[in-house]
C-alpha cells in the first residue's frame, strides 16, 4: 500500500522562521518552506506505508505463520544478555558472516549484512545509481524499488509482465538495452504475483545487457531457481536474501547481500555503520544453529500452499495465478475485490492484502500462506463471500 505523492510546491515566499510558536506541541499550519527544499523526485513518489489492523488471521505480509519456539528465543536472549550493551556491535560480524557464507554457498568477503534486506536494496541502488540512470524492473513488483529509485534520483522503467504474470525476459532485455539500464531488479518469486523467473533468465540478462542485476530472493526458500551459483561467473550480480520470511524473524530485521567481494566492499559504503544490532546478530546466529528446523517449517508452508492453491482455484468467480512463494495472488471476476477484502476482514477476521489499487493488478488480492487451519478458514470464508454459502 502506498501513500500518495506530496503535491508540488507552490511558489510561497520563503519565511525563515515564524515569529511565534503555535503553542505547545503544535505545528505550523503548513510546511511549505520545508517542503520546498525536498527534492521534486522524492515528492513525486508515493510513500511506502501499510495499515494493518489487528486480525484473528493475519495473512497480509507474507510472514511465517509460526513464531520461533520459546527455547530458540531464550537462546537468543541468553546470548544477547552475555554481550556488553554499552558497546557497539562488531563492525563486521566475522563469525556470523562466515556461517552465512557457508549456508548460502558463497565466499565470506562477498557477504554484507543488513537491517533487513530492504536496507540492502537501498544500499545497492545508492552506490550504483547516478542522476537519471535507468532502473528496469518487471511490473507489477515490490513497490520499494520504484520509491527508492525516485528518492535516489534514478529513472524507474517498469516492464509489463506477460500473460498470467509470467516474466517477459525478452522484453526486459530489450528495455534494458534501449534504456541503457544501470540496474535490472528481479524479484523471484515475485511479490505480489508469485511468479518465478524461468531457468536461465538471469544468465541471459547478464549476457545480453551491461546492467547490474539485483536479484531479490526474499521468497526463494519457497520455490523457484536461485541466482547464487552465477555469482562465480560475474561481478555484475547482487543477490539479496532475508531472514524475514522463511526464517520467521521479520520483527528482528535481518537480511544479507551476496556479491563479488570487490562489489560487496562498495555496497557496504551504502549502508550505515553498525546497522545490525547485537540482539539481531545473536538471533541470526542462533537461527543458523536451527537451520534444519526452519527448513522443515518452510517445507510445511510450501506443502500447505500446494494443497491450498488448487482448492482456491476451484472457487467460483476468481482466477488464481501460479505461485512459487508463500503467498498467492488471485483476481476477483464476479465481485469487487475491495468488497471481498472487506468482508473477509469484517465478517471472518481474515486480513489479506488488497493490491487492486495498482493499475496492473485491477481486481487482485494477495493472501499469505498461513497454517493449515488458516487456509481452511480462508477457503470457507471465501465460499461464503463469493456467494456459494457452505
Ligand atoms: C520482495 C521483497 N523484498 C524484500 C522485502 C523485505 O524484506 P526485509 O524484511 O528483509 O527488509 C519484502 C517484504 O515484504 C519483499 O516482499
Amino acid at each position: 500500500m502506498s501513500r500518495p505523492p506530496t503535491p508540488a510546491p507552490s511558489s510561497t515566499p520563503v519565511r525563515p522562521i515564524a515569529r511565534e510558536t503555535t503553542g505547545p506541541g503544535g505545528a505550523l499550519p503548513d510546511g511549505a518552506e520545508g517542503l520546498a527544499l525536498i527534492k521534486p523526485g522524492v515528492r513525486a513518489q508515493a510513500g511506502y506505508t501499510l495499515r494493518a489492523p489487528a486480525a484473528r488471521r493475519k495473512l497480509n505480509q507474507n510472514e511465517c505463520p509460526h513464531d520461533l519456539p520459546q527455547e530458540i528465543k531464550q537462546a537468543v536472549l541468553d546470548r544477547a544478555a552475555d554481550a556488553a550493551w554499552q558497546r557497539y556491535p562488531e563492525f563486521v560480524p566475522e563469525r556470523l558472516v562466515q556461517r552465512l557464507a557457508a549456508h548460502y554457498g558463497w565466499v565470506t568477503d562477498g557477504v554484507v549484512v543488513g537491517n533487513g534486506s530492504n536496507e540492502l536494496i537501498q544500499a545497492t541502488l545508492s552506490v550504483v545509481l547516478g542522476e537519471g540512470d535507468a532502473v528496469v524492473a518487471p511490473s507489477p513488483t515490490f513497490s520499494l524499488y520504484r520509491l527508492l529509485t525516485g528518492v535516489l534520483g534514478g529513472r524507474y522503467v517498469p516492464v509489463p509482465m506477460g500473460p498470467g504474470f509470467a516474466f517477459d525476459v525478452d522484453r526486459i532485455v530489450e528495455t534494458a538495452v534501449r534504456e541503457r539500464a544501470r540496474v535490472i531488479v528481479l524479484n523471484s518469486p515475485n511479490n505480489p504475483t508469485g511468479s518465478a523467473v524461468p531457468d536461465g533468465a538471469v544468465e541471459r540478462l547478464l549476457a545480453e545487457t551491461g546492467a547490474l542485476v539485483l536479484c531479490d530472493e526474499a521468497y526463494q526458500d519457497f520455490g523457484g531457481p536461485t541466482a547464487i551459483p552465477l555469482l562465480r561467473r560475474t561481478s555484475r550480480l547482487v543477490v539479496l536474501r532475508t531472514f524475514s520470511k522463511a526464517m520467521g524473524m521479520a520483527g528482528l530485521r535481518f537480511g544479507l547481500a551476496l556479491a563479488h567481494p570487490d562489489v560487496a566492499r562498495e555496497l557496504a559504503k551504502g549502508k550505515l555503520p553498525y546497522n545490525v544490532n547485537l540482539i539481531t546478530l545473536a538471533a541470526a546466529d542462533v537461527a543458523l544453529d536451527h537451520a534444519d528446523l526452519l527448513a522443515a517449517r518452510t517445507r510445511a508452508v510450501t506443502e500447505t500452499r500446494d494443497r491450498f492453491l488448487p482448492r482456491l482455484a476451484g472457487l467460483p468467480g476468481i482466477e488464481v495465478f501460479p505461485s512459487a512463494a508463500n503467498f498467492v495472488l488471485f483476481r476477483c471476476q464476479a465481485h469487487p475485490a475491495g468488497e471481498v477484502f472487506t468482508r473477509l476482514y469484517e465478517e471472518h477476521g481474515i486480513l489479506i492484502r488488497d493490491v487492486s489499487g495498482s493499475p496492473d493488478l485491477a481486481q487482485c488480492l494477495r493472501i499469505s500462506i498461513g497454517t493449515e487451519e488458516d487456509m481452511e478458514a480462508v477457503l470457507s470464508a471465501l465460499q461464503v463471500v463469493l456467494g456459494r454459502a457452505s
Side-chain angles (χ1 to χ4, degrees):
M1 225 172 272
S2 50
R3 203 185 283 278
T6 334
S10 62
S11 50
T12 337
V14 174
R15 294 169 307 216
I17 186 164
R19 284 164 72 99
E20 290 180 11
T21 66
T22 52
L28 291 170
D30 69 67
E33 291 95 3
L35 273 181
L37 296 170
I38 306 292
K39 297 189 287 183
V42 171
R43 296 190 56 187
Q45 297 304 314
Y48 189 93
T49 173
L50 176 70
R51 202 182 69 83
R56 196 160 68 245
R57 300 188 191 276
K58 185 176 180 311
L59 303 173
N60 65 331
Q61 280 183 280
N62 307 336
E63 296 150 325
C64 178
H66 309 286
D67 198 354
L68 285 177
Q70 205 53 43
E71 319 80 77
I72 296 186
K73 285 185 170 180
Q74 195 56 53
V76 173
L77 295 177
D78 290 347
R79 207 170 291 189
D82 284 343
W85 286 23
Q86 88 278 27
R87 305 287 178 211
Y88 285 101
E90 277 178 283
F91 199 83
V92 175
E94 293 291 350
R95 196 184 94 93
L96 175 63
V97 162
Q98 278 166 17
R99 296 192 73 195
L100 290 165
H103 184 79
Y104 289 102
W106 186 229
V107 295
T108 305
D109 45 3
V111 176
V112 181
V113 297
N115 187 355
S117 59
N118 282 342
E119 186 195 19
L120 299 165
I121 300 170
Q122 183 183 42
T124 307
L125 294 178
S126 72
V127 299
V128 175
L129 282 189
E131 189 67 31
D133 283 340
V135 173
V136 166
S139 178
T141 191
F142 189 37
S143 60
L144 197 62
Y145 311 137
R146 178 193 285 273
L147 171 62
L148 291 175
T149 300
V151 167
L152 293 165
R155 190 162 48 87
Y156 191 77
V157 186
V159 178
M161 295 185 110
F165 295 119
F167 282 87
D168 188 341
V169 183
D170 290 340
R171 209 157 160 193
I172 298 171
V173 170
E174 271 164 38
T175 310
V177 170
R178 189 186 65 233
E179 302 289 338
R180 303 166 71 89
R182 187 98 173 168
V183 183
I184 299 171
V185 186
L186 279 192
N187 173 215
S188 175
N190 182 51
N191 177 14
T193 60
S195 354
V197 274
D199 282 325
V202 178
E203 191 173 347
R204 220 188 121 195
L205 296 178
L206 287 162
E208 297 182 26
T209 80
L212 180 107
V213 180
L214 176 59
C215 288
D216 180 348
E217 296 191 350
Y219 302 99
Q220 196 280 328
D221 303 87
F222 301 102
T226 173
I228 290 175
L230 287 171
L231 287 166
R232 295 170 197 283
R233 296 174 49 198
T234 178
S235 57
R236 274 192 294 118
L237 175 64
V238 176
V239 180
L240 302 181
R241 307 291 295 224
T242 180
F243 276 30
S244 296
K245 308 297 176 180
M247 306 292 264
M249 282 178 31
L252 287 164
R253 314 301 302 125
F254 187 74
L256 59 144
L258 307 170
H260 185 280
D262 288 348
V263 175
R265 212 173 306 117
E266 301 305 317
L267 295 185
K269 297 178 187 172
K271 68 167 190 65
L272 295 176
Y274 312 112
N275 53 335
V276 185
N277 72 74
L278 61 86
I279 298 176
T280 298
L281 290 174
D285 200 41
V286 171
L288 290 175
D289 293 340
H290 297 277
D292 289 348
L293 170 95
L294 299 176
R297 297 196 322 176
T298 303
R299 276 195 300 279
V301 170
T302 58
E303 284 161 17
T304 302
R305 173 196 69 204
D306 293 343
R307 279 190 288 271
F308 172 72
L309 227 127
R311 292 177 67 200
L312 180 69
L315 295 179
I318 58 173
E319 179 186 11
V320 176
F321 299 100
S323 174
N326 65 335
F327 54 84
V328 177
L329 185 77
F330 66 94
R331 176 168 281 140
C332 302
Q333 293 160 321
H335 298 78
E339 186 185 309
V340 173
F341 170 83
T342 304
R343 288 191 60 195
L344 279 178
Y345 180 66
E346 288 181 355
E347 296 169 20
H348 302 271
I350 299 171
L351 180 64
I352 64 168
R353 191 71 158 254
D354 183 357
V355 292
S356 63
S358 161
D360 37 13
L361 289 167
Q363 284 285 87
C364 286
L365 298 172
R366 191 193 72 191
I367 302 186
S368 308
I369 302 298
T371 60
E372 283 288 328
E373 195 200 331
D374 287 331
M375 303 332 280
E376 287 299 329
V378 167
L379 290 167
S380 311
L382 276 175
Q383 269 178 1
V384 175
V385 170
L386 298 173
R388 193 203 274 166
S390 50

